[in-house]
Amino acid sequence: MSKDDKEVKIPIVDKELDLSNAGRGVWLVKVPKYIAQKWEKAPSNMDVGKLRISKTPGQKAQVSLSLSQAVVKLDPQEEIPTEHILDVSVVTKQTLGVFSHMVPQEAGSGSSSKDTSASTQSSEKLYMEGRIVQKLECRPIADNCYMKLKLESIRKASVPVRKVQPIDKIVQNFKPVKDHAHNIEYRERKKAEGKKARDDKNAVMDMLFLAFEKHQYYNIKDLVKITKQPIGYLKEILKEVCDYNMKNPHKNMWELKKEYRHYKTDDKKDEDKPNTDSDSD
């Protein structure tokens, strides 16, 4: 999504709310999942059940729900309880309402999506269907049918998603290898380099002097790579011809001893200058 798309804001349209039914009391009922699934499958013109309210003087009203046989027979293989009790609780500390909206069919026949959304927002009608005055929780009567339903739901929930299955053929999704490529490459490289053998002391010193002609300070690892000598044997030779720096700025590095250094001085450079001038003349 581009930056321009993110910055596009949905326009807020003021709409009128129909409050003609705002004073009507509405019940908010919580039903079990199996009832909600049956009611979703039922057509709009079907009677889904009957609500009975029995009032006894001095007691709370008893509310019960009986599902119709037409709803139960929508799925004959699944047996569900038909008798339910509704526990009533009065809403006192909350203000809840039920709202609905209606979109005319003519608004959905636009040519483009932008025109359709604009026309939908302008023609959409909002209604307040009522104010929630009571909450009811529908619970089934604990009969044999309900116990069978709960047992089946527990059994389905306990079935593991993944199962161990025996197979007849060998499945080689990951083919085993005797050795990995990087291990083989490492062994071949070590074999090509060969075992580090001690060379003649003078030959090793010549390699060290040649290396120190290029740089004044070296790390022990770099000297091992240059000379290809065992580190213990190399340190014995370095202690004879080199000094080990313990302080910065060249800490933990080796440097030739003063008697082995043969660096060009400024005086020698000045002596070489006239010679070059005379040669040019």
Side-chain angles (χ1 to χ4, degrees):
M1 184 180 288
S2 63
K3 187 177 179 181
D4 296 336
D5 295 337
K6 291 181 179 179
E7 292 179 353
V8 174
K9 296 181 179 179
I10 299 174
I12 299 174
V13 181
D14 294 333
K15 301 175 185 177
E16 293 184 358
L17 179 62
D18 190 346
L19 300 175
S20 57
N21 296 324
R24 182 170 59 181
V26 180
W27 288 4
L28 179 63
V29 183
K30 181 181 179 182
V31 298
K33 188 175 181 180
Y34 60 86
I35 294 181
Q37 291 174 348
K38 292 286 186 182
W39 285 355
E40 287 180 358
K41 295 178 182 178
S44 58
N45 58 350
M46 179 183 290
D47 292 334
V48 295
K50 291 182 180 181
L51 193 67
R52 295 187 181 91
I53 304 174
S54 58
K55 295 182 179 181
T56 305
Q59 295 181 2
K60 289 185 177 180
Q62 300 294 325
V63 185
S64 62
L65 173 66
S66 298
L67 297 180
S68 63
Q69 290 299 319
V71 171
V72 176
K73 291 179 180 178
L74 288 174
D75 191 359
Q77 297 179 355
E78 183 183 3
E79 295 183 3
I80 61 172
T82 57
E83 300 297 328
H84 299 78
I85 298 173
L86 281 77
D87 296 328
V88 184
S89 60
V90 182
V91 179
T92 55
K93 297 182 179 180
Q94 288 180 314
T95 304
L96 304 175
V98 178
F99 299 87
S100 65
H101 69 100
M102 185 180 66
V103 180
Q105 296 181 356
E106 297 177 357
S109 60
S111 57
S112 63
S113 60
K114 292 183 179 180
D115 297 338
T116 303
S117 60
S119 61
T120 301
Q121 290 180 0
S122 60
S123 60
E124 185 180 14
K125 295 183 179 181
L126 302 178
Y127 300 91
M128 183 173 183
E129 301 295 342
R131 182 173 56 87
I132 295 174
V133 293
Q134 286 183 336
K135 288 184 179 180
L136 293 91
E137 185 170 356
C138 181
R139 58 182 179 86
I141 298 174
D143 55 1
N144 292 332
C145 183
Y146 175 70
M147 293 303 174
K148 290 181 182 179
L149 182 67
K150 289 298 294 182
L151 184 64
E152 183 66 19
S153 64
I154 293 171
R155 188 189 64 79
K156 289 181 179 179
S158 63
V159 175
V161 179
R162 298 180 179 180
K163 295 182 180 179
V164 178
Q165 298 179 353
I167 55 177
D168 300 331
K169 298 180 181 179
I170 298 175
V171 180
Q172 294 183 350
N173 292 334
F174 299 95
K175 188 177 180 180
V177 293
K178 185 178 180 181
D179 203 351
H180 294 282
H182 62 274
N183 292 334
I184 298 172
E185 183 183 355
Y186 176 75
R187 284 199 298 270
E188 289 180 352
R189 186 172 68 252
K190 296 293 288 185
K191 188 176 180 181
E193 292 176 358
K195 188 176 180 181
K196 292 180 180 178
R198 294 190 175 190
D199 290 342
D200 183 55
K201 184 176 180 181
N202 293 329
V204 176
M205 292 178 67
D206 290 340
M207 286 189 286
L208 290 173
F209 290 143
L210 186 64
F212 278 105
E213 286 181 4
K214 299 178 181 178
H215 301 286
Q216 187 175 356
Y217 302 96
Y218 277 97
N219 194 339
I220 185 65
K221 293 181 179 180
D222 296 332
L223 293 174
V224 170
K225 290 180 181 179
I226 293 171
T227 60
K228 297 181 180 179
Q229 297 297 306
I231 189 169
Y233 177 60
L234 182 60
K235 282 186 177 180
E236 292 178 4
I237 300 174
L238 287 172
K239 289 177 182 178
E240 295 182 10
V241 298
C242 294
D243 292 329
Y244 185 69
N245 292 301
M246 301 291 291
K247 297 181 180 180
N248 291 324
H250 303 289
K251 189 176 180 180
N252 301 331
M253 300 188 78
W254 294 88
E255 178 188 13
L256 284 176
K257 291 183 177 180
K258 292 183 180 179
E259 55 267 29
Y260 296 105
R261 298 175 191 170
H262 298 287
Y263 301 115
K264 288 185 179 181
T265 60
D266 295 339
D267 298 338
K268 193 173 181 181
K269 289 181 181 179
D270 295 339
E271 290 176 1
D272 294 341
K273 254 189 177 182
N275 295 334
T276 55
D277 295 337
S278 61
D279 294 340
S280 62
D281 293 340

